Amino acid sequence: DLRIEAYRRLAAVTTPDEVEAIRTEWQDRYGPVPEPGEGLLSVASLRAECSRLGIREIVVNDGGGFGGPALMARLSPVVLKESQKIRLKRLVPKAVHKPDDTLVLPLARKSDPGGDLVTALRELVPRSDDQ
């Protein structure tokens, strides 16, 4: 019952602070969060960032093909101000922001795509820059 309730609470988060509160609770209650739990928290963090920015779709594809160097993430809609477009080019030079407000970001193959996307979105649109 406790596990189901924890999953239910995690599925309902809409802010990064709620995700961190659950992480802290899990650590206090159970000790270090195991890798599968970290994966769930990573997905919840990504969902919270998408909620904050109004992103409704994320697709991650094999950008390099047959084990090439990168995965490609396509996020939409991602509405960026001019200053944020400049920041994007500085932060991720190979990123593309398309006229239809689709953002395409390269991701390292041997990484946590969800965590990498959360980091990129937080750097690109810090909370103080919310639209």
Side-chain angles (χ1 to χ4, degrees):
D1 288 342
L2 288 175
R3 188 177 349 177
I4 296 298
E5 180 58 27
Y7 292 153
R8 191 173 295 134
R9 283 188 52 223
L10 195 59
V13 299
T14 58
T15 68
D17 293 336
E18 291 172 329
V19 176
E20 287 309 310
I22 290 172
R23 177 190 308 279
T24 300
E25 178 185 326
W26 287 3
Q27 289 172 334
D28 289 346
R29 187 173 287 180
Y30 307 111
V33 178
E35 192 173 325
E38 286 294 343
L40 290 172
L41 290 166
S42 177
V43 169
S45 292
L46 180 57
R47 278 194 355 266
E49 285 303 310
C50 288
S51 176
R52 176 177 75 93
L53 298 173
I55 298 170
R56 293 186 304 270
E57 180 182 23
I58 298 176
V59 177
V60 177
N61 291 319
D62 188 349
F66 302 108
L71 299 172
M72 298 302 284
R74 184 173 45 94
L75 300 87
S76 66
V78 180
V79 179
L80 298 177
K81 301 173 191 171
E82 281 304 313
S83 62
Q84 292 166 330
K85 290 177 186 178
I86 293 168
R87 185 184 300 160
L88 174 64
K89 286 297 175 196
R90 183 175 43 80
L91 292 171
V92 188
K94 293 184 179 182
V96 176
H97 186 255
K98 297 182 177 183
D100 66 353
D101 289 328
T102 297
L103 177 61
V104 180
L105 292 171
L107 300 170
R109 184 169 297 284
K110 294 183 180 187
S111 69
D112 166 24
D116 290 350
L117 286 172
V118 167
T119 299
L121 290 171
R122 286 180 181 168
E123 288 177 353
L124 180 60
V125 186
R127 287 188 195 184
S128 62
D129 287 0
D130 282 359
Q131 300 146 356

